[in-house]
Amino acid sequence: MNPSRLLLVVPCYNEEAILNLTYSTLKTYYTGIKERGLIAADSKICFVNDGSRDKTWDIIEDLCQQDDTIIGVKLSRNFGHQSAIMAGLEKHIDNFDCFITIDADLQDDINAITSMIEKHQEGAMVVYGVRGDRSADSWFKRFSAEGFYVLMQKMGVPVVFNHADFRLMDRRVLQELGNFREINMFLRGIVPLIGFRNDKVVYSRLERVAGETKYPLSKMLLFAWNGITSFSTFPMRLVLYFGFFNFMVAMVIVAYIFLSFLIGHTVPGWTSTMLPLTFFSGSNMMALGLIGEYIGKIYEEVKGRPRYIIEKTVNE
């Protein structure tokens, strides 16, 4: 069997502090697996600049001039991590046999790529990189990240536990992924939804060498919320359950009022008036806000705007 042409897609956002190290590390590794015959000699690495505000794109251009195996893709602005991944993948879908996506921070162990390629050669169409050891993360980071996956699974989102966006996909899978045209892309849920034969590679999470994390708690919560509302209607079902609870509370209040009337305690009180008023008005506003969130997503999808715009490519 001839070795596959592999494209490694690396989304970059404000990565000037680590990008040169990322390049040298990936280049050395890539050269090694080419010499071993695991991948074709014309396999390449694609850095996608997602509207960085620092010198990330300047570094990418310099790397492309020094090395013709490096492809640079510049988006016209910041479209987000998932869109940057899709830009790198879809732009080169016809030129490579398989694709691996990996973050630029080097926290995903690149040595796992060898096992991914071997499993692909054995017939796996998708190979997920799964973080088996997160001891390099802080306790809070580990707790919040693992809580994220548990929450997603409880909400019915088909995510792979402890898998981020470090994965191998065959071109056949990527062709099917192109049929998913929603604006709010959540690849961690969409790729498992596609199906095909898949496998996992377990690796240890490494420490970030330089730069700062692009997923603080606020962004992680927003990312989780986007994934849940893109895949699951469970939050709206919770509103229904909450409505039943409110109804039962209302029936208790009605019984209390009726009993008070019968025994002659009919003097109105401020507490008994304001408590149900604030409770029900607050719950109604929460329900409306949740419904509005889903309507907002429908609004974004109906407009059908592009997920990304490519401004420039180098070494295409």
Side-chain angles (χ1 to χ4, degrees):
M1 180 184 295
N2 293 328
S4 299
R5 298 186 68 204
L6 171 66
L7 179 68
L8 191 63
V9 177
V10 187
C12 305
Y13 178 67
N14 294 341
E15 299 288 1
E16 66 174 351
I18 198 175
L19 196 54
N20 281 307
L21 176 60
T22 300
Y23 162 74
S24 60
T25 303
L26 292 176
K27 179 65 176 179
T28 301
Y29 184 80
Y30 234 50
T31 301
I33 58 178
K34 284 180 180 180
E35 292 174 349
R36 293 165 55 190
L38 286 176
I39 59 175
D42 53 353
S43 298
K44 296 189 176 185
I45 301 172
C46 175
F47 289 103
V48 183
N49 179 47
D50 185 26
S52 299
R53 298 189 299 270
D54 59 7
K55 296 181 180 179
T56 295
W57 178 246
D58 295 333
I59 297 173
I60 293 174
E61 282 192 307
D62 290 341
L63 294 175
C64 290
Q65 291 175 2
Q66 300 168 19
D67 188 348
D68 60 4
T69 66
I70 302 299
I71 300 173
V73 175
K74 181 183 181 183
L75 303 188
S76 61
R77 63 171 178 83
N78 177 245
F79 285 89
H81 182 265
Q82 305 289 280
S83 294
I85 289 176
M86 290 302 299
L89 293 173
E90 292 182 323
K91 181 68 176 175
H92 306 97
I93 187 172
D94 297 323
N95 302 325
F96 297 88
D97 302 312
C98 57
F99 305 78
I100 291 179
T101 55
I102 186 172
D103 289 341
D105 57 16
L106 296 178
Q107 288 190 272
D108 294 322
D109 187 3
I110 62 173
N111 293 297
I113 292 176
T114 299
S115 298
M116 288 182 171
I117 296 169
E118 291 172 346
K119 290 183 180 296
H120 178 249
Q121 292 173 342
E122 293 169 1
M125 304 285 278
V126 181
V127 184
Y128 301 105
V130 176
R131 298 162 178 172
D133 179 10
R134 304 189 67 127
S135 58
D137 291 336
S138 66
W139 175 87
F140 180 77
K141 175 68 175 179
R142 186 165 58 251
F143 173 79
S144 60
E146 294 182 349
F148 162 82
Y149 293 104
V150 172
L151 176 63
M152 299 296 279
Q153 291 176 340
K154 293 292 185 182
M155 290 288 185
V157 183
V159 295
V160 177
F161 187 78
N162 263 338
H163 163 70
D165 287 298
F166 184 30
R167 71 178 71 85
L168 178 148
M169 288 188 292
D170 187 84
R171 178 165 57 188
R172 176 76 173 85
V173 177
L174 185 54
Q175 289 171 340
E176 295 302 328
L177 179 61
N179 294 325
F180 289 75
R181 301 308 306 170
E182 57 254 49
I183 303 300
N184 297 286
M185 291 292 287
F186 186 71
L187 292 173
R188 300 183 195 186
I190 291 177
V191 175
L193 196 64
I194 295 175
F196 292 105
R197 178 179 170 183
N198 61 80
D199 209 330
K200 299 176 183 177
V201 171
V202 180
Y203 65 95
S204 297
R205 174 84 161 164
L206 306 176
E207 294 184 9
R208 173 179 271 272
V209 179
E212 58 184 20
T213 178
K214 303 303 183 294
Y215 273 96
L217 179 61
S218 58
K219 279 195 173 183
M220 182 173 288
L221 291 174
L222 183 62
F223 188 65
W225 179 248
N226 180 59
I228 291 170
T229 54
S230 295
F231 270 85
S232 175
T233 57
F234 185 75
M236 297 188 74
R237 196 173 301 121
L238 283 178
V239 172
L240 177 63
Y241 298 154
F242 194 56
F244 279 123
F245 172 75
N246 281 354
F247 177 76
M248 297 304 297
V249 173
M251 290 300 98
V252 172
I253 294 175
V254 168
Y256 167 74
I257 294 173
F258 185 68
L259 180 62
S260 297
F261 175 76
L262 291 179
I263 63 178
H265 293 169
T266 57
V267 177
W270 182 85
T271 302
S272 59
T273 301
M274 293 303 297
L275 186 61
L277 178 65
T278 54
F279 178 77
F280 291 117
S281 62
S283 60
N284 286 337
M285 290 300 293
M286 185 176 67
L288 287 173
L290 182 60
I291 294 171
E293 179 72 17
Y294 279 92
I295 293 175
K297 284 190 175 292
I298 295 172
Y299 175 64
E300 290 180 354
E301 299 295 337
V302 167
K303 287 185 292 186
R305 293 175 178 173
R307 289 194 294 250
Y308 55 84
I309 297 173
I310 296 177
E311 178 181 335
K312 184 179 181 180
T313 58
V314 183
N315 286 350
E316 181 64 25

